[in-house]
Amino acid sequence: SNLCQLISLGRANASKGKSRLRRRDLTEHTSGLIALSGCRQGIVSRALLKGEYFLAQQELAWLYDCFGNNLWLELQHHLLPDDSFFIRQLLKVAKPFGISPVATNNVHYVTRETYDLQKILVAIRHNKKVTEIPELLYANSEYYLKSYEEMAVLFSEIPEALQNTLLIAEQCD
């Protein structure tokens, strides 16, 4: 019921087709939910990407206050040049809170081979040529649904992140 409440509030707070939650909305509806710290667009990662380590810790502390032990540190590895360094930074920020890591992948198409199709669909959605939308495209073709084996290779140095992914999946109804 809390998830339904958050979806309804998010839709009510934003224009059609968008969703936006206020912090107050989130703090009032977290019981029974499992949360991830967010991808590179999340509040923790955005602060770290700007070099604001203290702000990243503050944002993670706020999320931890909301979700407690139901908060997991989301780690993604899309073979970007700074991914390994960024993952280490996220782990460093989370360490004082004891937040466990979870391996995820930002999936936007099913297979690596459908990356070109994804580019075309994005161009169509924006009524532009593919060459006119480079800022809207992903840096590489790694944003597809990866197998367990592929994820295991990417997170070989942090095997507990992959184990935690399975643990969370088992907890979901």
Side-chain angles (χ1 to χ4, degrees), residues 109-128:
Y109 36 92
V110 179
T111 65
R112 178 180 281 129
E113 294 73 31
T114 53
Y115 177 56
D116 288 334
L117 176 59
Q118 170 70 9
K119 290 192 270 187
I120 292 166
L121 292 172
V122 171
I124 290 169
R125 184 173 62 226
H126 292 277
N127 198 27
K128 296 183 183 257

Side-chain angles (χ1 to χ4, degrees), residues 23 37-39 41-48 55-56 59-60 62-63:
R23 286 183 184 248
S37 61
C39 65
Q41 299 302 316
I43 58 175
V44 176
S45 294
R46 281 195 324 245
L48 263 184
L55 177 59
E59 298 292 18
L60 195 57
W62 176 76
L63 286 170

Side-chain angles (χ1 to χ4, degrees), residues 6 9-10 13 20-29:
L6 289 172
L9 288 167
N13 292 335
R20 182 171 198 93
L21 286 172
R22 297 173 299 217
R23 286 183 184 248
R24 180 182 72 228
D25 297 333
L26 195 57
T27 58
E28 295 172 358
H29 300 286

Side-chain angles (χ1 to χ4, degrees), residues 37 147 154 166:
S37 61
S147 68
L154 290 172
L166 298 174

Side-chain angles (χ1 to χ4, degrees), residues 70-130:
N70 288 326
L71 176 66
W72 300 81
L73 183 70
E74 185 169 6
L75 304 179
Q76 296 182 344
H77 202 309
H78 297 106
L79 301 178
L80 298 175
D82 69 340
D83 273 353
S84 294
F85 174 77
F86 188 64
I87 287 170
R88 286 192 301 275
Q89 290 298 102
L90 283 169
L91 290 167
K92 185 177 171 184
V93 167
K95 189 172 186 174
F97 304 100
I99 300 170
S100 298
V102 59
T104 72
N105 198 57
N106 197 348
V107 177
H108 287 269
Y109 36 92
V110 179
T111 65
R112 178 180 281 129
E113 294 73 31
T114 53
Y115 177 56
D116 288 334
L117 176 59
Q118 170 70 9
K119 290 192 270 187
I120 292 166
L121 292 172
V122 171
I124 290 169
R125 184 173 62 226
H126 292 277
N127 198 27
K128 296 183 183 257
K129 295 177 184 176
V130 172

